[in-house]
Amino acid sequence: MNEKVHELINQQINKEFYSAYLYLDFSNYFKANGLDGFANWYMVQAQEERDHAILFYTYLQNQNVPVTLEAISKPDKVFENHLDVLKAGLEHEKYVTSLINGIYGAAYDVRDFRTMQFLDWFVKEQGEEESNACDLISKMELFGSDPKSLYMLNQELAARVYTAPSLVL
């Protein structure tokens, strides 16, 4: 595997674990504010991000290249309101999309088709993640100021369950 592609994928493992930490922090925020459904939604997000990290980890191992685990940064955002949390989630997903695109570009440059094929799933996944984050923001902007509507939205988010990715390495 190309050294740059290897380095970027190895860094992505850390970024995915950080994403899990960040979403656990979001879950904690909502739990503390009495919105268990929102807390559940971000708990599921955290589980997804941990699985993404493991997918990258396993991919490197399957390519017989070493994995180097680094320290995971602590989330440090302080939020003024519920909408700020959701907007931070969208911005983070856009950042992760840029990271995936960067790895894809590096793999493309060296004609690493196996890695590009592996990353195709993540490219699609990031489109879904950004869309979900936008939907949450739209719903909060529409309904968040009405207690009854916020309650209904919270109930909707409480119903989300975790489904492990079905990516074949």
Side-chain angles (χ1 to χ4, degrees):
M1 176 178 284
N2 172 272
E3 187 176 322
K4 181 178 180 182
V5 172
H6 172 219
E7 180 182 330
L8 289 172
I9 292 174
N10 203 91
Q11 289 172 2
Q12 191 63 29
I13 294 167
N14 180 273
K15 301 294 185 185
E16 297 290 341
F17 279 126
Y18 173 78
S19 296
Y21 267 35
L22 182 65
Y23 292 145
L24 285 174
D25 193 45
F26 289 7
S27 179
N28 192 44
Y29 167 87
F30 283 115
K31 184 78 170 173
N33 282 277
L35 292 169
D36 292 349
F38 283 82
N40 174 67
W41 200 90
Y42 278 109
M43 183 62 74
V44 171
Q45 280 299 108
Q47 290 172 313
E48 282 189 7
E49 302 304 338
R50 287 190 304 261
D51 273 357
H52 294 172
I54 296 301
L55 288 170
F56 281 107
Y57 175 91
T58 304
Y59 181 74
L60 287 183
Q61 286 187 328
N62 288 346
Q63 304 310 306
N64 295 314
V65 295
V67 174
T68 304
L69 299 175
E70 301 291 340
I72 301 167
S73 299
K74 176 183 174 183
D76 61 357
K77 295 194 181 287
V78 176
F79 303 106
E80 297 291 320
N81 57 57
H82 308 326
L83 189 58
D84 284 349
V85 179
L86 303 180
K87 287 181 178 180
L90 175 59
E91 288 309 308
H92 184 72
E93 289 301 339
K94 287 179 179 180
Y95 170 66
V96 173
T97 297
S98 74
L99 295 172
I100 300 294
N101 290 343
I103 301 168
Y104 201 103
Y108 177 83
D109 290 345
V110 296
R111 302 180 60 82
D112 182 349
F113 301 114
R114 182 179 302 145
T115 298
M116 290 165 55
Q117 183 180 28
F118 168 71
L119 292 171
D120 283 342
W121 182 86
F122 288 96
V123 171
K124 181 177 180 250
E125 174 72 5
Q126 282 309 119
E128 292 172 9
E129 296 288 10
E130 287 186 30
S131 178
N132 289 339
C134 285
D135 288 348
L136 279 178
I137 291 168
S138 294
K139 288 177 181 180
M140 181 62 82
E141 288 174 340
L142 285 170
F143 309 121
S145 61
D146 174 54
K148 290 179 184 175
S149 296
L150 182 59
Y151 175 80
M152 301 269 302
L153 179 55
N154 189 60
Q155 292 302 107
E156 175 187 325
L157 298 179
R160 184 178 187 204
V161 295
Y162 178 68
T163 307
S166 59
L167 179 63
V168 176
L169 301 176

